[in-house]
Amino acid sequence: MNSSKKIALQAQGDDGAANNTSWTSRLENLTSLIAAYDDKAADVLCLVASGTSVSQRVRSLMDTDLLNRAAEGSQDEAVFPGLENYYEIERVGEADVAAAFGADFAELRPISGSQANHILLASLTKTGDVIMSPSMRGGAHISMAGRVTRSLKDYTYHYLPLRQRSFAIDIEAACADIKKYRPGLIFLGGSVVIEEQDFTELAMTARETGTITIYDASHVAGLIACGAFRNPLKDGIDLMTMTTCKTLPGPSHAWIVGSKEYHERIKKAVFPGFVSGGHLQEYVGALAAFYEMMAVRKVYGNYVISSARCHIPR
């Protein structure tokens, strides 16, 4: 029996041709549903923060052989052979992203913002640590203040005080709480960032108490890279996490940037702890969208801010 006939029989399974037809119809239905979704998406303006539409160039760069590959480890600890060109992309991309954010290093392999935040929790904290963050109602993302996050290492949580009727942190009150609770780690930023803040005093207080500071920049990362929003790293914040599908206008992925003091611990947590494979098509797509944005960064940053300030008449 030739190989093609064997494959056909295997595909049919116990029910023969009828079963094969059933799976083919499922594939056709899936194809139709995706086409219907795509048609609808082309006719509407998505105002969800993560509802970006990448360029055709980015799409084409994601539709390459990298779609089918895994790259366990990084360029200095490669597991799979034949990826020399990809590891060159990693090497250059990490340097470019770090430079754009004024960071010592960039880790570009996490596949979601929640995963990026949990990588930092896993690598930089211990069981029983005190964690401080905004509350969920105060603008935090579920990955820094949600139920699952709180239970990871049996953390003790204290929420950062906010200004009255605001999502901005009350810096003076927060510094007093840092001295009181001496947390192992503080999360700033989150899903609701209305205004930029000066975190210099908070960062200094955290350093005095041995507290690591993290800013989740997912919603404003593109503006920070463009110079249109205050950069928390320049205020002394240790690390930033971000998704690449909001004001960084790429596909869904995530990055971590920050101080070299924490690089090795984070790198070891990323692989083999959290990322095996790395979604290479998203990696290159996010990087390509970043380069597109940076090429027009001044126009882009100002445009995003002016659009956000528009008010629809009631």
Side-chain angles (χ1 to χ4, degrees), residues 69-106:
R69 302 292 155 240
E72 294 188 343
S74 56
Q75 54 262 37
D76 57 351
E77 54 182 8
V79 174
F80 296 133
L83 291 168
E84 293 81 6
N85 289 342
Y86 170 75
Y87 286 125
E88 177 65 8
I89 292 171
E90 273 198 357
R91 185 186 67 79
V92 174
E94 288 172 2
D96 288 341
V97 171
F101 286 99
D104 295 331
F105 79 93

Side-chain angles (χ1 to χ4, degrees), residues 11-67:
Q12 289 177 10
D14 294 336
D15 297 328
N19 186 61
N20 193 40
T21 301
S22 175
W23 287 113
T24 300
S25 67
R26 283 173 168 80
L27 175 59
E28 291 172 350
N29 183 56
L30 174 63
T31 302
S32 297
L33 289 172
I34 292 173
Y37 167 81
D38 230 15
D39 288 343
K40 182 177 180 180
D43 290 334
V44 299
L45 178 63
C46 181
L47 296 180
V48 176
S50 57
T52 54
S53 297
V54 300
S55 69
Q56 283 301 125
R57 184 171 188 173
V58 171
R59 284 177 180 246
S60 68
L61 290 173
M62 294 175 69
D63 185 18
T64 68
D65 184 70
L66 290 174
L67 182 67

